[in-house]
Amino acid sequence: MQIFSYMQEYDYEQLLFCQDEQSGLKAIIAIHDTTLGPALGGTRMWTYASEDDAVEDALRLAKGMTYKNAAAGLNLGGGKTVIIGDPKKDKNEEMFRAFGRYIQGLNGRYITAEDVGTTVQDMDLIHEETDYVTGISPAFGSSGNPSPVTAYGVYRGMKAAAKEGFGTDSLEGKTVAVQGVGNVAFTLCRHLHEEGANLIVTDINKEAVQRAVEEFGAKAVDPDDIYSVDCDIYAPCALGATINDETIPQLKAKVVAGAANNQLKETKHGDILHEKGIVYTPDYVLNAGGVINVADELHGYNKDRAMKRVETIYDNVSRVFEISRRDEIPTYVAADRMAEERIERMRRSRSQFLQNGHHILSRRQNG
């Protein structure tokens, strides 16, 4: 991998390699863009097949966080860390303490959080060495479990998508097919049930499905059948890439809106949904409640303030649809454009400020 060529092509700012021999730490911190503010993004621990794969994952995820944070209206840029190792057997206190010292050395340019393969307890260890970490234990002033907040944001965004697809944001009487009934999706089902929606659910975890059936009167179907059910909204809330060549022809839903990451297997599938007139809600705009929530910790966590900010996901999703209509582009492209336009506005604003400051300084020196 030609690292500098890749960084230049996609405009990355910084890539750091961190190692600690005693603890076995091998970490890669990627900072994509800090135009809007410090880079915020989680720490992932994974058994990568190669170091190149780890670098590529860190870079890809960091760029994704730039777009997610920008689209959410946060004054934060995008970054990500990957730690090479098996999260089930390679963790130790020294590793995360050492990593915390590396973060501290960046002096606030990068703020981390929990991600795949890491836990609240790991974040607490990082917190022993630095304040530039979110998602720590509530005892330290953290927001705690982010799932309910993420679910509420998805619910709010789904209402905006319903308005785009059906002309009203009411979900009463709408049939929603929910793929996956994990922590986020179960809370989402509760919101939908309370508004009067009809639920069809599936999950490989039969206990989770049964719980949804009992509590919300949901109809259960086999995992392979969720795509073809008669419904108004398809909500992918499990694995990514469920919008693909095999599933799109089966979809009867007018709207796609769910919590899962990377729902489109390929970008062409976003084009196909657009051509078919199916309202696709870009996932990173819709599921931003979690990052909005942890970002509030940077100001001393206030739940009411955080939840009010999460409610703006409705407006953010609506804005994506406006751009899609304005520019006659698929919604997944519109979401990127919304994020890019916000970053570019701030970049121009800062550039103008610096130019004005230079002119004022020159006049004073020449006066």
Side-chain angles (χ1 to χ4, degrees):
M1 182 180 187
Q2 299 295 316
I3 291 177
F4 275 109
S5 296
Y6 187 97
M7 291 179 68
Q8 185 173 9
E9 181 178 359
Y10 297 104
D11 201 20
Y12 285 82
E13 294 181 8
Q14 198 169 5
L15 186 66
L16 298 96
F17 294 84
C18 314
Q19 78 86 26
D20 180 71
E21 185 176 1
Q22 179 178 338
S23 66
L25 173 70
K26 293 180 180 178
I28 301 162
I29 302 173
I31 297 176
H32 176 247
D33 189 289
T34 58
T35 302
L36 296 176
L40 172 67
T43 293
R44 175 170 296 191
M45 188 170 184
W46 196 253
T47 51
Y48 292 94
S50 69
E51 291 180 0
D52 279 353
D53 286 351
V55 171
E56 187 173 351
D57 202 29
L59 290 167
R60 178 182 61 84
L61 293 167
K63 184 180 179 184
M65 289 306 301
T66 293
Y67 282 76
K68 187 168 193 170
N69 293 337
L74 298 172
N75 296 320
L76 293 164
K80 205 79 172 187
T81 294
V82 300
I83 295 177
I84 300 173
D86 187 337
K88 294 182 180 179
K89 63 181 182 181
D90 293 335
K91 289 182 181 181
N92 56 68
E93 178 183 356
E94 295 85 353
M95 172 181 289
F96 289 99
R97 294 283 293 270
F99 178 56
R101 291 192 290 273
Y102 279 110
I103 293 176
Q104 181 64 21
L106 289 170
N107 200 33
R109 271 181 56 78
Y110 170 65
I111 303 161
T112 198
E114 183 181 345
D115 202 280
V116 175
T118 59
T119 66
V120 172
Q121 290 72 32
D122 299 330
M123 298 304 108
D124 286 347
L125 291 174
I126 293 171
H127 184 55
E128 293 288 335
E129 303 289 344
T130 183
D131 288 331
Y132 301 119
V133 55
T134 61
I136 52 180
S137 295
F140 296 116
S142 167
S143 55
N145 180 9
S147 296
V149 185
T150 302
Y152 182 64
V154 173
Y155 165 68
R156 291 287 301 166
M158 186 182 289
K159 287 176 70 66
K163 186 172 184 179
E164 181 71 13
F166 308 113
T168 173
D169 66 5
S170 173
L171 298 173
E172 183 177 3
K174 293 289 187 291
T175 298
V176 184
V178 182
Q179 181 191 46
V181 200
N183 291 334
V184 171
F186 189 84
T187 305
L188 172 63
C189 286
R190 185 182 302 281
H191 289 301
L192 296 173
H193 174 68
E194 289 174 351
E195 190 169 335
N198 304 309
L199 297 172
I200 301 173
V201 300
T202 195
D203 198 299
I204 57 173
N205 183 339
K206 301 301 182 184
E207 292 181 2
V209 170
Q210 187 59 33
R211 188 179 170 207
V213 169
E214 292 174 357
E215 294 200 26
F216 310 128
K219 176 185 175 183
V221 298
D222 290 334
D224 290 340
D225 296 334
I226 194 69
Y227 309 105
S228 59
V229 298
D230 285 317
C231 64
D232 300 297
I233 300 170
Y234 166 57
C237 296
L239 301 174
T242 64
I243 306 294
N244 54 54
D245 289 338
E246 290 73 36
T247 61
I248 291 176
Q250 301 180 53
L251 292 178
K252 297 182 175 66
K254 172 71 174 176
V255 171
V256 175
N261 289 311
N262 305 315
Q263 295 166 18
L264 303 176
K265 186 172 183 179
E266 300 176 53
T267 55
K268 71 173 184 179
H269 297 121
D271 298 327
I272 295 171
L273 292 180
H274 182 68
E275 292 163 4
K276 291 171 71 72
I278 296 174
V279 176
Y280 170 65
T281 317
D283 46 63
Y284 71 79
V285 181
L286 190 62
N287 65 18
V291 72
I292 292 172
N293 193 52
V294 296
D296 194 80
E297 294 179 21
L298 303 174
H299 309 288
Y301 184 68
N302 180 291
K303 184 176 181 179
D304 290 340
R305 180 178 62 201
M307 295 302 285
K308 286 180 181 178
R309 190 66 181 266
V310 170
E311 288 182 358
T312 64
I313 289 176
Y314 183 106
D315 302 318
N316 298 338
V317 169
S318 298
R319 176 63 177 154
V320 169
F321 297 139
E322 289 173 10
I323 294 172
S324 175
R325 291 192 300 271
R326 180 194 75 189
D327 298 347
E328 299 181 342
I329 53 177
T331 53
Y332 79 92
V333 179
D336 286 356
R337 191 161 295 178
M338 180 176 73
E340 290 163 355
E341 286 177 355
R342 180 166 181 249
I343 292 169
E344 185 57 32
R345 285 196 303 271
M346 180 56 68
R347 188 173 283 130
R348 288 198 303 266
S349 174
R350 288 186 174 179
S351 176
Q352 186 64 44
F353 178 80
L354 291 173
Q355 289 178 15
N356 290 342
H358 175 73
H359 293 324
I360 291 171
L361 181 61
S362 297
R363 287 199 300 269
R364 285 177 177 174
Q365 289 176 339
N366 295 329

